Amino acid sequence: MMGPAHSLSGAMAWLGVGAAAAWAGHPMPWPVLVAGTLICAGAALAPDLDQKSATISRAFGPLSKLVAILIGKLAERVYNATRGKSERRRSGGHRTLTHTWIWAVLIGAGFSFAAVTWGRPAVLAILFIHMVLAVEGLLWRMARVSSDVLVWLLGAMSAWLLTGILDQPGNGSDWLVDERHYLWLGLPIVLGSIVHTLGDALTISGCPMLWPVPIAGKYWYPVGTPRFMRFRAGAWVENKILMPAFMVIGAASGVGAVVLAA
């Protein structure tokens, strides 16, 4: 799928988690619901950091392009080092390492560790990164016609405001685990990455999300829906059916999360 659809699916997923958490008797404070939704929307773009032309690779100028090149090389090397005998050698790393659930969990755990260990500075950095990505994904039309600096300023302002709100007692910095402030921060990041892989599994190429589990003799087996149900990224199915569905389901879940928490 393309960036806007990935971001919408990420936002929908966290709103769904919010509704489920409220139904289970452990509702999210509203700042956690809002911040988590934006983080998840941004994180749903992150797996494409293995591709220089992706939205996330352009989001932070030369720095993100350099990181994309390095991540792409790493993914390529990991793929070639672990591929099965029936799997062809590759000269690029797109849709390999960063599109696996192992990568999603490791990235989320790393961000949680940083937030718990270094506190507010790390939280500000994490929120800034994902706020910028959320703007690039959810408001992509406006982001494309505005300057990068304006997008960064919006991301920085959003990160500063959200961190200030979350830091207030009862607003959710310690949601889920008492005395472990911001441990939950990795959850929307993991979820966003996983939702990205599920979205790519709907497309023609599929997604090797279950690596290194061998399937049909392949370690990088492209998991996906039945062939007749797949579509090309950016096709009408994505734009006319999936994106509206993500918005409706997300809105309903958000309302459910707020109502059930009341």
Side-chain angles (χ1 to χ4, degrees):
M1 290 197 299
M2 305 299 286
H6 279 308
S7 280
L8 271 177
S9 67
M12 175 199 70
W14 188 255
L15 290 168
V17 169
W23 179 81
H26 200 85
M28 298 176 184
W30 72 264
V32 174
L33 185 67
V34 172
T37 297
L38 294 173
I39 292 169
C40 202
L45 296 178
D48 280 342
L49 192 56
D50 59 3
Q51 187 180 32
K52 290 188 294 183
S53 60
T55 299
I56 183 174
S57 304
R58 303 190 307 268
F60 299 96
L63 177 60
S64 54
K65 288 183 179 180
L66 175 60
V67 173
I69 293 172
L70 296 175
I71 293 294
K73 291 293 184 183
L74 172 64
E76 176 188 335
R77 292 195 175 190
V78 171
Y79 170 86
N80 287 327
T82 61
R83 65 190 174 91
K85 293 181 179 179
S86 62
E87 294 173 300
R88 295 181 179 179
R89 190 174 185 84
R90 293 185 56 163
S91 58
H94 184 48
R95 282 206 186 184
T96 55
L97 180 62
T98 61
H99 286 68
T100 65
W101 290 358
I102 286 180
W103 176 271
V105 171
L106 290 176
I107 290 298
F111 277 120
S112 281
F113 175 82
V116 171
T117 303
W118 293 297
R120 185 179 175 86
V123 172
L124 282 169
I126 293 167
L127 285 175
F128 169 68
I129 291 168
H130 290 90
M131 293 307 103
V132 169
L133 294 180
V135 171
E136 291 281 0
L138 297 176
L139 304 176
W140 63 277
R141 291 185 185 277
M142 287 182 281
R144 286 187 178 179
V145 298
S146 64
S147 70
D148 288 341
V149 174
L150 289 177
V151 174
W152 298 341
L153 287 174
L154 180 57
M157 182 176 66
S158 301
W160 184 268
L161 290 174
L162 282 171
T163 303
I165 294 171
L166 288 166
D167 278 343
Q168 297 300 314
N171 278 358
S173 65
D174 59 349
W175 180 67
L176 281 186
V177 183
D178 293 337
E179 304 303 323
R180 291 292 182 183
H181 292 266
Y182 294 111
L183 184 64
W184 62 268
L185 208 59
L187 294 179
I189 295 171
V190 173
L191 182 61
S193 293
I194 289 177
V195 168
H196 180 111
T197 64
L198 293 174
D200 280 351
L202 300 174
T203 62
I204 292 174
S205 300
C207 187
M209 63 182 78
L210 299 181
W211 173 85
V213 177
I215 301 174
K218 296 182 178 181
Y219 292 102
W220 295 91
Y221 185 84
V223 177
T225 52
R227 290 286 178 182
F228 72 93
M229 295 177 62
R230 300 189 193 185
F231 55 86
R232 293 186 182 277
W236 67 271
V237 175
E238 179 179 328
N239 297 320
K240 302 297 184 181
I241 297 178
L242 292 182
M243 289 180 67
F246 294 156
M247 287 188 280
V248 171
I249 296 171
S253 297
V255 171
V258 173
V259 171
L260 289 171

